[in-house]
Amino acid sequence: MNKIKSLIFAGTAAVMMAGGVSAFAAETEADQKPVYEMDLALETAKPLAAALRGFMLDESIKKFDEAGLSFTDECDVSLNCPLIAAAQENEDGTFTVFGELCTYNFKLDGDDLKFVSSWEPAAVITFSKESDVSFVVEDVKYLPEGEAFAEAVDEVCVQMGADSDFFLNGLPDAEEPALLAEFLRFANENPNVQTLEVRGEQMTVGGAADEVAMFINGLL
């Protein structure tokens, strides 16, 4: 299996094959291998993952503010699903990750999550270590959109030892499974939520679990 694929999905595969539904962005002790664990030590990966999710939520709130909207009025649930293609510890003690930051926002309608908006930028993010259990975002570089995107991806992948072809052509296939896995985590913690709107249709918890399992089996 492609090394990058194994880095991204190792945590999800371990949890789903064990019969659980908690996956991708969980902070619970039960989730021993977050998706963005990479080659970093677990004690580093979990607080780094928490900082990344916090950053993504802040950016989503900022986008609503810039549009003149209230995040809390427009959105009840924000599911953050970063797909990380590379991560490294730098000589100065900071950590850098590169990937696609997929955020999906929903309104809660009874026991159903109804789609509101999404945001999927590619970015290089550097974190500094605030303490043994926390990180803060030190620097963010969003990749340009349009014609310059592919060239920018190539440059970053060379710098960080990632596979640009996989990032451009393979990573998009993982966006929906990542969302479904994060929905499973959320539904596990919020059992009153039963369905998620995907492609204009409501998907149940059971259907999401089947889709994620099929995707993981395809990688093994």
Side-chain angles (χ1 to χ4, degrees), residues 57-121:
L57 179 59
D58 289 344
E59 289 293 281
S60 188
I61 293 172
K62 185 188 303 182
K63 286 184 72 66
F64 276 89
D65 288 343
E66 291 172 350
L69 300 171
S70 167
F71 177 80
T72 53
D73 288 343
E74 300 293 328
C75 170
D76 293 318
V77 176
S78 185
L79 300 180
N80 300 312
C81 315
L83 299 177
I84 303 305
Q88 65 185 27
E89 182 174 4
N90 306 311
E91 292 183 358
D92 62 0
T94 61
F95 294 82
T96 300
V97 300
F98 167 54
E100 189 173 53
L101 308 183
C102 303
T103 295
Y104 306 90
N105 301 310
F106 299 87
K107 287 291 286 185
L108 184 59
D109 181 8
D111 57 5
D112 303 326
L113 290 179
K114 298 296 183 66
F115 178 77
V116 173
S117 62
S118 64
W119 186 48
E120 302 94 18

Side-chain angles (χ1 to χ4, degrees), residues 188-204:
N188 189 51
E189 298 177 354
N190 299 272
N192 59 305
V193 176
Q194 296 296 313
T195 69
L196 174 80
E197 183 179 355
V198 180
R199 301 185 305 277
E201 298 181 357
Q202 294 300 119
M203 180 173 290
T204 65

Side-chain angles (χ1 to χ4, degrees), residues 5-197:
K5 289 184 181 179
S6 68
L7 293 177
I8 293 173
F9 298 107
T12 304
V15 174
M16 295 301 295
M17 290 174 68
V21 294
S22 178
F24 276 59
E27 292 186 65
T28 64
E29 288 302 316
D31 227 1
Q32 291 300 307
K33 289 188 176 298
V35 290
Y36 5 72
E37 180 180 321
M38 311 304 159
D39 294 327
L40 304 179
L42 183 59
E43 59 269 21
T44 295
K46 294 194 74 172
L48 194 65
L52 180 55
R53 291 193 302 277
F55 167 77
M56 292 173 67
L57 179 59
D58 289 344
E59 289 293 281
S60 188
I61 293 172
K62 185 188 303 182
K63 286 184 72 66
F64 276 89
D65 288 343
E66 291 172 350
L69 300 171
S70 167
F71 177 80
T72 53
D73 288 343
E74 300 293 328
C75 170
D76 293 318
V77 176
S78 185
L79 300 180
N80 300 312
C81 315
L83 299 177
I84 303 305
Q88 65 185 27
E89 182 174 4
N90 306 311
E91 292 183 358
D92 62 0
T94 61
F95 294 82
T96 300
V97 300
F98 167 54
E100 189 173 53
L101 308 183
C102 303
T103 295
Y104 306 90
N105 301 310
F106 299 87
K107 287 291 286 185
L108 184 59
D109 181 8
D111 57 5
D112 303 326
L113 290 179
K114 298 296 183 66
F115 178 77
V116 173
S117 62
S118 64
W119 186 48
E120 302 94 18
V124 178
I125 305 176
T126 299
F127 300 85
S128 61
K129 195 170 186 179
E130 192 173 46
S131 70
D132 289 340
V133 294
S134 65
F135 289 82
V136 294
V137 174
E138 193 77 26
D139 183 65
V140 181
K141 292 184 175 66
Y142 287 109
L143 273 61
E145 299 180 355
E147 295 181 358
F149 180 72
E151 183 177 349
V153 168
D154 285 340
E155 292 177 359
V156 174
C157 285
V158 168
Q159 295 169 7
M160 298 195 66
D163 184 336
S164 61
D165 181 66
F166 172 71
F167 186 93
L168 292 170
N169 301 309
L171 203 63
D173 294 337
E175 291 181 12
E176 185 171 311
L179 169 61
L180 296 180
E182 175 62 4
F183 166 58
L184 293 176
R185 179 203 64 79
F186 182 83
N188 189 51
E189 298 177 354
N190 299 272
N192 59 305
V193 176
Q194 296 296 313
T195 69
L196 174 80
E197 183 179 355

